[in-house]
Amino acid sequence: MTEETPGFGENAEKPDVPSGATPDDAAPKAAEPSTEEGPAAPAGDAAANKTSAQDVGLTAQLDQVRTALNERTADLQRLQAEYQNYRRRVERDKVTVKEIASANLLSELLPTLDDIGRAREHGELVGGFKSVAESLETVVAKLGLQQFGKEGEPFDPTIHEALMHSYAPDVTETTCVAILQPGYRIGERTIRPARVAVAEPQPGAQTVKGEESADSAPDAAAADEKETGGPDEG
């Protein structure tokens, strides 16, 4: 007696197959992919788009950094220029203050220097007084004090003060003929103008000289004719 293998005998159960269907219809079908979703983008294009977006962001950041750097550089240059102007102004003010202080001090010594000058003119600057006077003149010269004013120089109202006025036939312009008090300056700053006596040309002297020149012209021409034997005959 033989044993029947389950599933291989006549009584084995067969899968239910609808009427009119083929055996292939009874096999289970694999799940088909859904066609509702769109096609997937290639991986290379996505990477390229990401890299491009990063480049754009980096470029924007670089532009911002450059703008900030230019602004800070301009601020630094402006501050440096202001500092240089401040230094020059301070140095100029220091020199001005020093000149003013020296001028105020030396202005108080001008009467003493005038006395020393008059004593020298009269021959009274002798002995110990002479040594003291020369030492004082040396000190004020080191401080920048300069004396000016000489006889015979043209009158300049910016540095001369005319105390006396006269006419002289031997001058051709307003001239300082006597220095009553010398002037003093420190650098370009005038502490005291020179007090002088001036002389102007004698009124009518120019006219007389012009007439004399005109009268002497025919005489000179006659002398030339005598020397050359008269005018040439044609």
Side-chain angles (χ1 to χ4, degrees), residues 14-148:
K14 296 182 180 179
D16 296 335
V17 179
S19 168
T22 61
D24 295 334
D25 295 337
K29 295 182 179 180
E32 296 180 356
S34 175
T35 57
E36 294 180 357
E37 298 180 358
D45 294 342
N49 294 335
K50 185 177 181 181
T51 303
S52 177
Q54 292 177 351
D55 292 342
V56 172
L58 291 175
T59 303
Q61 292 179 0
L62 182 60
D63 292 339
Q64 293 178 357
V65 172
R66 287 177 177 174
T67 302
L69 178 62
N70 292 335
E71 292 177 354
R72 299 300 180 272
T73 303
D75 293 340
L76 180 60
Q77 292 175 348
R78 182 169 58 255
L79 290 175
Q80 187 175 6
E82 292 177 356
Y83 177 69
Q84 294 296 334
N85 293 333
Y86 169 76
R87 287 188 59 187
R88 285 193 290 266
R89 185 168 60 253
V90 169
E91 292 296 331
R92 185 170 60 250
D93 292 344
K94 287 174 61 177
V95 173
T96 302
V97 170
K98 182 179 179 180
E99 290 181 354
I100 293 175
S102 299
N104 293 335
L105 173 62
L106 295 174
S107 296
E108 300 296 329
L109 296 176
L110 294 185
T112 304
L113 296 176
D114 292 336
D115 293 339
I116 292 174
R118 285 190 289 268
R120 182 179 286 110
E121 292 176 357
H122 292 85
E124 299 176 357
L125 195 63
V126 294
F129 178 54
K130 179 180 180 181
S131 300
V132 173
E134 291 176 350
S135 298
L136 178 61
E137 291 176 341
T138 301
V139 171
V140 297
K142 289 181 178 180
L143 293 175
L145 185 66
Q146 299 176 356
Q147 179 179 319
F148 66 90

